[in-house]
Amino acid sequence: MSQAVYTPPPVVSLIQRRSLIVGAIGIAVCVIGAIFRPAQFLNSWLISFMFWIGIALGCLALVMLQYLSGGAWGLVIRRVLESGTRTLPLMALLFLPILFGIRALYVWARPADVAASELLREKHFYLNIPFFVARAVIYFAAWIALAWFLNKWSRRQDVTADQRLERRLQLLSAGGLVLYGLTITFAAVDWMMSLQPEWTSTIFGILVIGGQALSAMAFAVAVTVLLAQYEPMSHVIQPRHLHDLGTLLFAFVMLWAYFSFSQFLIIWSGNLPEEVTWYTRRLNGGWQWVALLVVLFHFALPFVLLLSRDVKRNARTIAIVAVWVIVMRFIDLFWVIAPARRAEHLAVHWLDLAALVGSGGVWLGYFAWQLRKRPLLPVNDPHLQEALNHAEH
Amino acid sequence: MATGDRRPALYGVMAEFDNPDAVIAATRRAYEEGYRKMDAYTPYPIEELSEALGYHRNRLPLVVLIGGLLGAIGGYWLLYWTSVIDYPINVGGRPYHSWPSFIPITFETTVLVAALSAVLGMLALNGLPMPNHPVFNTPNFELATRDRFFLCIEAADPRFDHDATANFLRSLNAREVTDVES
């Protein structure tokens, strides 16, 4: 069993091809949208960008978390997570429309608006275009560097079975998690919070981190169940692995809900005009129904379903819950981002869908391509045999 | 002592094994033979053994769920009653029924009552505290906390037949097969 190579099944190449075709069509529609409806396109693109980079960065965080915590759950999904981290260079490319559309997207980037607002003049030392661009470069450099070393050393472990690499990966992960926490907090402020620059929330970065961990966990569960339908992973994935992954998914659903509610409770209690308007905009004009959808189906439904041991141990049901959570992650981001610069009333634009499909198709295709490159398990990880042991010896 | 009537009632027949694999194999065989009322005693938890015994669902999750729901309803009701009905105070102009600020405490009482029901429910469903148990009448049984593995087929099992069951257990490579008096 230890000699098995764990080659990815052919279905991965099929997903790669189909995703890229669908993505190319989506991107073509986005280009048309960008020409005729640039402002709308940018808002839609930002939502999808934050959604897909959320999965990629969540993968990065979970890989590092698992090096520090250990656990069989992380070994069976490590290659899925690593492939997710290797999509970060692609995300840097998909960030370009936002970079070129700063003025259309962010009110603080428009000189006339800044001149008219004392608040924006006060915040100008941080919210200005050169500094914004420089920060984005730093974030991507940090994330891509972390992903590069994590993948490189993990691959070397496959080939050389050098036992010292584990320690090195743990040290990198310890520092890397701190770096991830700091960079994503600033990135969340830059890319999402500054859409309404009058608004501040100190928990916002943590909330974004919770959302990314949840997205990545749900994504990893969905991909793992898919891979478990085929050789060779059909011999590897056992109900107890799915049980552990389902339990972690449950924990991240709770964590996200906890952060989300904390932000709401504090702002609701304070009831200060510069803070609470963020929520009043999102709880009126039709957006309240989206909020209700998020509370019921992003939190309550997965929470209740994941309480059940049977749901977690059954590949089919846990995959359905995971895909459902991924869908709700998008709706949550839509509710956070879309109302910022859109009409008072709830509106869904065809470009929202085009951006999701365009960036998503390309991202999934790229992900599948990365997944194909390496064995589906870290074959020389010192804990692998222990993680794969069958209950009945 | 010869009269059958004065013989102490039988709790079951106990087989003693040297190693975990033997007790797991024996338990599987016993389950295949149709025995259901049986239990195994080992120095440490063996996951396969509970499955071999025909892992039976217990009602503890239901007890915890009901406890949690009662905690949630009770906690919310306590807050509602104190701040809306019994002693309403205007805090910064907020409504008396300020549901967002009720949620943290409702959550806490949910967890509290659920956790208490888990502990008390576990004790109740296990019939604890129990000062003594017939299996302690087995010779060598104290080794179940060290390096021996025991399987007991209980007399209450419908398929139980003293001689046949004892012979069956002997056929499974048990070190020792003894009667357990109740």
Side-chain angles (χ1 to χ4, degrees):
Chain A
M1 191 145 178
S2 58
Q3 297 307 311
V5 283
Y6 303 114
T7 319
V11 69
V12 180
S13 341
L14 188 72
I15 291 171
Q16 181 189 336
R17 273 199 308 278
R18 294 204 176 150
S19 300
L20 286 175
I21 294 169
V22 172
I25 297 168
I27 295 282
V29 177
C30 283
V31 169
I32 298 169
I35 294 165
F36 294 103
R37 295 270 184 282
Q40 176 60 50
F41 159 75
L42 284 165
N43 186 294
S44 302
W45 186 260
L46 181 64
I47 299 168
S48 291
F49 174 81
M50 290 312 304
F51 175 68
W52 293 108
I53 201 172
I55 297 178
L57 287 172
C59 287
L60 184 69
L62 289 181
V63 168
M64 295 191 288
L65 189 68
Q66 200 272 339
Y67 277 121
L68 297 182
S69 72
W73 63 271
L75 287 182
V76 295
I77 62 170
R78 184 181 290 162
R79 282 294 139 88
V80 176
L81 299 176
E82 283 177 355
S83 306
T85 68
R86 293 203 297 277
T87 63
L88 281 167
L90 174 75
M91 290 318 297
L93 193 69
L94 297 183
F95 186 68
L96 289 179
I98 294 163
L99 219 46
F100 288 114
I102 296 179
R103 280 169 205 276
L105 210 44
Y106 299 101
V107 63
W108 51 261
R110 295 194 281 269
D113 287 300
V114 177
S117 155
E118 194 190 335
L119 185 84
L120 290 184
R121 284 200 302 277
E122 291 270 326
K123 295 192 174 185
H124 186 70
F125 77 96
Y126 184 82
L127 292 177
N128 61 72
I129 294 177
F131 195 22
F132 178 92
V133 176
R135 286 194 304 268
V137 170
I138 293 171
Y139 306 147
F140 276 109
W143 299 332
I144 291 171
L146 279 175
W148 195 73
F149 281 111
L150 287 169
N151 280 284
K152 183 180 161 176
W153 292 341
S154 176
R155 183 66 189 141
R156 191 184 294 167
Q157 192 180 44
D158 275 6
V159 179
T160 64
D162 184 349
Q163 298 297 304
R164 288 167 307 172
L165 283 166
E166 194 195 12
R167 182 85 191 131
R168 203 191 285 182
L169 282 158
Q170 283 171 345
L171 287 172
L172 176 68
S173 301
L177 272 178
V178 175
L179 188 61
Y180 163 77
L182 287 173
T183 47
I184 195 61
T185 301
F186 280 94
V189 170
D190 287 4
W191 301 345
M192 291 162 82
M193 195 195 276
S194 81
L195 286 166
Q196 285 172 263
E198 72 285 356
W199 181 68
T200 53
S201 162
T202 47
I203 204 174
F204 192 71
I206 303 282
L207 176 54
V208 170
I209 290 173
Q212 293 188 340
L214 177 58
S215 297
M217 200 68 221
F219 180 73
V221 169
V223 175
T224 303
V225 171
L226 177 79
L227 291 174
Q229 310 299 310
Y230 304 93
E231 301 260 352
M233 293 301 268
S234 50
H235 303 301
V236 171
I237 304 296
Q238 303 158 35
R240 71 186 173 95
H241 294 135
L242 297 178
H243 190 164
D244 288 353
L245 293 171
T247 307
L248 282 163
L249 192 62
F250 177 73
F252 284 126
V253 166
M254 298 256 289
L255 192 69
W256 170 87
Y258 169 72
F259 291 151
S260 216
F261 179 74
S262 299
Q263 177 177 283
F264 174 74
L265 178 63
I266 289 164
I267 290 178
W268 180 88
S269 300
N271 204 21
L272 299 170
E274 65 269 29
E275 287 180 348
V276 86
T277 42
W278 194 86
Y279 276 107
T280 49
R281 182 180 290 200
R282 283 162 182 78
L283 293 172
N284 286 293
W287 292 107
Q288 71 269 34
W289 302 116
V290 184
L292 190 65
L293 202 70
V294 169
V295 172
L296 290 180
F297 296 113
H298 193 311
F299 169 65
L301 184 69
F303 174 84
V304 171
L305 288 176
L306 290 171
L307 281 174
S308 153
R309 178 185 152 95
D310 292 333
V311 168
K312 284 180 281 199
R313 292 179 83 92
N314 180 311
R316 198 179 143 77
T317 49
I318 191 72
I320 291 171
V321 175
V323 170
W324 181 251
V325 166
I326 295 172
V327 171
M328 288 314 299
R329 283 300 307 134
F330 180 79
I331 293 177
D332 177 52
L333 284 168
F334 180 74
W335 180 74
V336 169
I337 296 172
R341 290 287 156 224
R342 214 171 271 208
E344 300 284 301
H345 295 284
L346 168 65
V348 181
H349 199 270
W350 54 269
L351 269 166
D352 293 329
L353 188 67
L356 177 66
V357 172
S359 56
V362 173
W363 189 87
L364 268 179
Y366 194 91
F367 168 82
W369 176 48
Q370 293 299 326
L371 189 63
R372 276 175 50 207
K373 284 185 168 180
R374 296 182 178 186
L376 288 172
L377 286 172
V379 286
N380 281 324
D381 188 287
H383 308 288
L384 185 69
Q385 215 45 53
E386 191 187 332
L388 300 189
N389 273 345
H390 278 259
E392 47 288 324
H393 287 283
Chain B
M1 294 297 276
T3 49
D5 293 339
R6 293 198 48 201
R7 210 169 120 186
L10 198 65
Y11 174 77
V13 179
M14 181 77 85
E16 182 183 336
F17 297 91
D18 278 335
N19 61 76
D21 293 335
V23 75
I24 294 165
T27 309
R28 289 219 175 98
R29 284 278 295 116
Y31 193 87
E32 283 163 19
E33 284 293 310
Y35 292 108
R36 292 296 177 269
K37 283 206 175 297
M38 54 182 175
D39 211 345
Y41 306 87
T42 58
Y44 49 84
I46 301 175
E47 206 177 324
E48 297 96 307
L49 202 50
S50 22
E51 279 160 30
L53 283 165
Y55 173 77
H56 46 278
R57 292 301 179 90
N58 58 53
R59 266 170 288 165
L60 191 58
L62 186 67
V63 172
V64 178
L65 180 68
I66 292 171
L69 288 175
L70 287 178
I73 296 166
Y76 199 94
W77 185 79
L78 174 73
L79 290 161
Y80 186 85
W81 183 74
T82 49
S83 31
V84 181
I85 298 168
D86 191 48
Y87 206 85
I89 298 176
N90 185 328
V91 181
R94 290 185 201 91
Y96 293 135
H97 182 211
S98 289
W99 65 267
S101 54
F102 291 180
I103 286 182
I105 292 169
T106 305
F107 177 75
E108 300 291 344
T109 52
T110 308
V111 174
L112 177 69
V113 181
L116 285 176
S117 351
V119 175
L120 298 177
M122 179 275 290
L123 292 176
L125 291 175
N126 280 326
L128 294 170
M130 187 187 291
N132 195 17
H133 191 277
V135 293
F136 290 109
N137 298 332
T138 315
N140 283 345
F141 193 70
E142 69 279 4
L143 293 177
T145 61
R146 282 159 61 187
D147 58 354
R148 290 289 159 74
F149 304 81
F150 292 86
L151 173 66
C152 182
I153 297 182
E154 291 159 25
D157 191 285
R159 288 187 58 96
F160 185 85
D161 173 280
H162 179 254
D163 297 332
T165 304
N167 283 332
F168 166 71
L169 284 172
R170 273 190 204 95
S171 73
L172 299 174
N173 300 324
R175 266 176 80 97
E176 203 87 55
V177 175
T178 45
D179 292 353
V180 183
E181 296 166 359
S182 62

